[in-house]
Amino acid sequence: MPIRTFDFCALQFLNQWLEKEAGLCESLASDSKIIQQDALVKAGVHFRIARTLPTKFEEEKGLVRYQPVLKVLDGIKEAEVTPDNVERVVRDAQQEISSQYGERKVLSLTTKFLWLKIKSPIRIYDRQARIALGTREGDFSAFNAEFSIRFAEFASEIDEACTRLKSVVSYSVHPKMRPSGVETLTSKQWFKERVFDIYLWNKGSV
């Protein structure tokens, strides 16, 4: 498999954000529960995690799709999640969601839905990224710690790749986006962390 550079991964995530995830984040932040629920349904398809939570556990209780997940997310305030407590927040949310769906393994799903609501300091946990980092399966604390270490090692390269995006915006799904808008977006910490996430995902899938 060809090597995926940070330039490649930065553009890949820019397109992924503009085409899919920006809208999902906006909808999940809506005041409408119907719009929020629809966002989670679409996110389940986007992240390919819908099968993680069988619908039977909702149907048995007369609940709409992802209603138990929304309840968990509602109980988490973005401003209260910090690098110091993020591992506890993820663990608690994972346990709450799992308890509503037959004690299934939901770590990856939990981090993906939490990221859509909070972004940084949430790091998305999935199999490929875990393999790339070399941590134990299901150990989010080890994953998060190793992510921080490795991200710091590549920080300057990621910064440079993100900075260059404003000059290649014509290759994106929104080619008429203003360079200043691209620069504002790509300078954010959560954007840079997701570029690294995309890099790890590609590396771990080899």
Side-chain angles (χ1 to χ4, degrees):
M1 182 177 180
I3 296 174
R4 305 305 191 189
T5 64
F6 285 118
D7 283 324
F8 178 95
C9 295
L11 183 57
Q12 182 178 343
F13 180 61
L14 176 63
N15 282 321
Q16 187 170 306
W17 169 256
L18 294 174
E19 193 168 26
K20 295 286 185 180
E21 294 180 18
L24 293 174
C25 289
E26 182 180 356
S27 294
L28 191 58
S30 168
D31 292 331
S32 167
K33 292 299 178 187
I34 294 175
I35 294 176
Q36 290 177 14
Q37 185 260 347
D38 183 62
L40 290 188
V41 170
K42 291 177 179 176
V45 174
H46 170 62
F47 287 121
R48 300 178 182 178
I49 52 176
R51 292 183 179 179
T52 304
L53 304 181
T55 58
K56 69 175 184 177
F57 293 103
E58 298 156 343
E59 294 167 353
E60 290 171 353
K61 301 173 184 176
L63 304 175
V64 299
R65 187 61 169 147
Y66 295 126
Q67 188 173 339
V69 178
L70 274 177
K71 184 177 180 180
V72 173
L73 295 180
D74 283 344
I76 300 171
K77 307 304 178 186
E78 180 179 350
E80 297 175 359
V81 182
T82 69
D84 290 333
N85 69 12
V86 65
E87 292 170 13
R88 176 184 59 78
V89 170
V90 169
R91 182 181 65 250
D92 291 349
Q94 173 194 1
Q95 291 174 348
E96 287 187 61
I97 294 172
S98 180
S99 70
Q100 297 297 313
Y101 290 89
E103 303 298 337
R104 296 176 67 85
K105 294 181 180 180
V106 297
L107 176 56
S108 181
L109 175 146
T110 300
T111 60
K112 288 167 179 172
F113 283 162
L114 280 175
W115 188 88
L116 290 176
K117 176 172 181 174
I118 299 170
K119 301 184 184 67
S120 186
I122 302 294
R123 273 76 179 267
I124 290 180
Y125 173 98
D126 61 31
R127 180 177 177 275
Q128 286 100 314
R130 178 190 65 76
I131 290 172
L133 292 176
T135 59
R136 296 186 304 276
E137 182 178 359
D139 189 340
F140 181 74
S141 293
F143 174 87
N144 189 53
E146 190 64 22
F147 188 109
S148 295
I149 293 170
R150 299 286 292 279
F151 178 80
E153 291 176 0
F154 293 109
S156 61
E157 293 178 57
I158 295 170
D159 284 346
E160 290 168 5
C162 289
T163 298
R164 285 191 286 267
L165 282 173
K166 64 179 180 289
S167 64
V168 295
V169 67
S170 61
Y171 296 112
S172 76
V173 294
H174 287 182
K176 296 185 183 296
M177 187 176 182
R178 291 173 181 254
S180 59
V182 177
E183 190 171 15
T184 297
L185 172 65
T186 59
S187 66
K188 296 182 183 298
Q189 179 70 9
W190 60 261
F191 188 96
K192 295 173 183 179
E193 290 183 354
R194 282 302 305 280
V195 169
F196 188 52
D197 167 57
I198 296 293
Y199 172 80
L200 292 174
W201 189 90
N202 281 298
K203 185 177 181 181
S205 63
V206 175

